[in-house]
Amino acid sequence: MLTTLVLLSLSLPTLWTQILISCTYKNLCQQALLSGNDVALQCDDPKAVWYFSSILGEDPLLVSSMPNTKKLPGGSLQLINPQPSQAGLYHCQDSDSALIVEYELDFQDVTTLHLTHKDLGQKPLQNETLRLGSNVLLFTHWEPWQDCNRCGEPGERKRLGYCYIEEPLEKPMPCGLYLREEKMQYSRMRPELQVETCLVPCDHVKETNQPYFAFDIYQLGKLTNNMWLTCPLASIYRPIIWEANNTPVTWQGQLSGQDVSTILDPSNGGKRLQVFQPAIYRCFVQQELMARFNPRPSPDMLEVLQREEAEQQPEAGQAWKGKANTGLKGLQLMLLAGTFLSLLAVLLNLFCPLQSKRRNQMLLVK
């Protein structure tokens, strides 16, 4: 059902499904990132060759032989669902074996993520001193705040924090790169995600008119009382917001226990949403509508439910069969009519400009 959403990635060149990490030519850059979240390492040479050396000191190996990696057409390297075991040195060289750029990465375990909300008075992890041969400072290195996920109305913004270690008079390093082969189990050594409320005006100059909605049909009813929805092109490294029947789904509502009808997945920054009741769900990335989900029973599910009801009433079996067929045909006609009207709406939206930023983007996915 979501296969045609690849069209979105082609039509939105500014929105990739992963963050792009860059480094200056012939330099080595150290970076802490989160496991389980896709990233791309920039290397501007279509004939680039990538090598990887783990932090355990193993011999370099060709990245092309590693799973969950993909070389992009321009030479950059995509890491799909990277794991903490993939921490190490990524070396990009040209066809003459000359260095182009190197990245030393620490993929910190996202399953240990410490999540807090400033407006609920929740505190991030505190700095601590460890004895590792000498006294070292263990602290959280915070990335800048991401943009607010809404404009013109109250929203939320988030920032990521990574575990770092600093020796006196030395440059701080990500915890995994500092410890390398040394194994330590310490509860303070984990990444963080902090959220706070925000309110920013809308910048109409920066608005884009992407003609895409994504309508999808999911089964949510008696047989399936919950499911996960995934927002295409979303990432923990970007602002994301979900709406349920035009009501924002917030981290504050989830962490305070006030909202129990949905669950945002912290491990991907809310890219995935668990829902427990039918509603119209929409997700936005960087304030741009990415997808709309209409959970509803399918004709097959209706037939199963009707069959169960008939089994409970054997004496009415023959009568049910005729009614079920009639009802199913009627439902199929209604779905066909709905599809036709939706397609008509697409054509009207494509040729008739709308003023609303969120309603001038239309893509139907059945």
Side-chain angles (χ1 to χ4, degrees):
M1 289 182 289
L2 291 177
T3 52
T4 55
L5 285 176
V6 296
L7 294 175
L8 285 172
S9 63
L10 298 177
S11 61
L12 299 177
T14 59
L15 285 177
W16 290 74
T17 56
Q18 67 279 319
I19 185 175
L20 180 65
I21 307 297
S22 61
C23 185
T24 54
Y25 181 59
K26 289 187 178 297
N27 272 14
L28 168 66
C29 292
Q30 290 184 337
Q31 179 82 40
L33 297 164
L34 290 175
S35 67
N37 291 271
D38 297 359
V39 296
L41 307 180
Q42 186 172 8
C43 184
D44 297 327
D45 186 339
K47 297 182 180 180
V49 180
W50 285 89
Y51 288 89
F52 169 72
S53 303
S54 77
I55 58 176
L56 301 178
E58 299 171 352
D59 293 335
L61 71 152
L62 277 171
V63 170
S64 58
S65 63
M66 297 171 54
N68 303 329
T69 62
K70 179 182 179 181
K71 182 183 172 184
L72 301 176
S76 297
L77 179 68
Q78 181 181 7
L79 303 177
I80 304 166
N81 190 29
Q83 298 303 303
S85 60
Q86 292 178 262
L89 181 67
Y90 291 82
H91 173 101
C92 179
Q93 64 184 42
D94 62 22
S95 56
D96 296 324
S97 301
L99 171 67
I100 299 178
V101 68
E102 287 183 311
Y103 300 90
E104 195 169 28
L105 305 180
D106 177 20
F107 288 107
Q108 301 190 0
D109 190 355
V110 76
T111 63
T112 64
L113 189 71
H114 183 66
L115 174 62
T116 56
H117 201 295
K118 290 185 67 175
D119 297 271
L120 295 176
Q122 298 170 341
K123 302 298 183 181
L125 300 174
Q126 299 300 306
N127 295 350
E128 295 188 17
T129 300
L130 290 181
R131 182 73 180 176
L132 299 175
S134 61
N135 288 335
V136 298
L137 178 65
L138 181 63
F139 69 100
T140 296
H141 170 76
W142 291 101
E143 294 289 313
W145 286 99
Q146 297 178 12
D147 292 339
C148 195
N149 58 10
R150 303 180 81 197
C151 71
E153 300 176 85
E156 291 179 319
R157 64 177 186 172
K158 64 180 185 287
R159 64 173 178 169
L160 297 169
Y162 300 99
C163 176
Y164 267 66
I165 292 178
E166 182 180 17
E167 288 185 0
L169 305 179
E170 296 291 337
K171 182 180 178 180
M173 295 180 64
C175 290
L177 299 183
Y178 180 89
L179 296 172
R180 295 192 181 274
E181 300 178 15
E182 185 175 350
K183 299 293 184 181
M184 284 195 63
Q185 297 295 330
Y186 187 52
S187 60
R188 177 59 183 82
M189 292 185 179
R190 52 179 173 158
E192 298 195 66
L193 175 62
Q194 189 176 43
V195 186
E196 69 175 7
T197 57
C198 55
L199 178 61
V200 297
C202 293
D203 188 350
H204 299 289
V205 176
K206 294 183 179 180
E207 289 183 2
T208 58
N209 296 315
Q210 303 296 340
Y212 294 103
F213 269 140
F215 293 95
D216 216 331
I217 306 299
Y218 280 96
Q219 298 179 4
L220 187 65
K222 182 177 178 180
L223 299 183
T224 307
N225 60 8
N226 74 88
M227 66 172 45
W228 285 97
L229 306 179
T230 300
C231 185
L233 303 185
S235 165
I236 197 170
Y237 304 110
R238 292 196 183 93
I240 308 168
I241 189 171
W242 286 86
E243 291 181 354
N245 290 336
N246 297 320
T247 300
V249 177
T250 66
W251 289 106
Q252 185 171 0
Q254 177 168 317
L255 295 175
S256 65
Q258 296 178 353
D259 188 355
V260 296
S261 61
T262 56
I263 297 178
L264 292 161
D265 186 353
S267 67
N268 45 62
K271 175 180 179 177
R272 300 177 71 231
L273 178 74
Q274 190 175 20
V275 300
F276 298 89
Q277 60 188 26
I280 296 177
Y281 296 96
R282 301 193 299 173
C283 69
F284 299 80
V285 179
Q286 294 181 205
Q287 301 179 11
E288 295 290 339
L289 179 64
M290 286 293 110
R292 169 174 169 160
F293 304 88
N294 299 312
R296 64 183 65 170
S298 70
D300 291 340
M301 176 178 286
L302 289 178
E303 189 173 6
V304 170
L305 294 176
Q306 290 169 335
R307 186 177 296 113
E308 287 183 349
E309 183 178 352
E311 290 174 353
Q312 295 173 2
Q313 300 176 349
E315 67 279 2
Q318 293 300 323
W320 165 83
K321 188 173 182 179
K323 292 180 181 179
N325 289 336
T326 302
L328 183 58
K329 290 179 180 178
L331 180 60
Q332 290 172 335
L333 289 174
M334 291 176 63
L335 288 174
L336 183 60
T339 302
F340 173 77
L341 292 175
S342 299
L343 290 172
L344 181 60
V346 174
L347 295 176
L348 290 174
N349 276 304
L350 287 175
F351 293 100
C352 300
L354 299 178
Q355 297 179 355
S356 172
K357 176 183 176 183
R358 292 184 176 181
R359 290 182 173 83
N360 60 2
Q361 310 166 355
M362 182 70 69
L363 170 66
L364 291 180
V365 182
K366 293 293 183 181

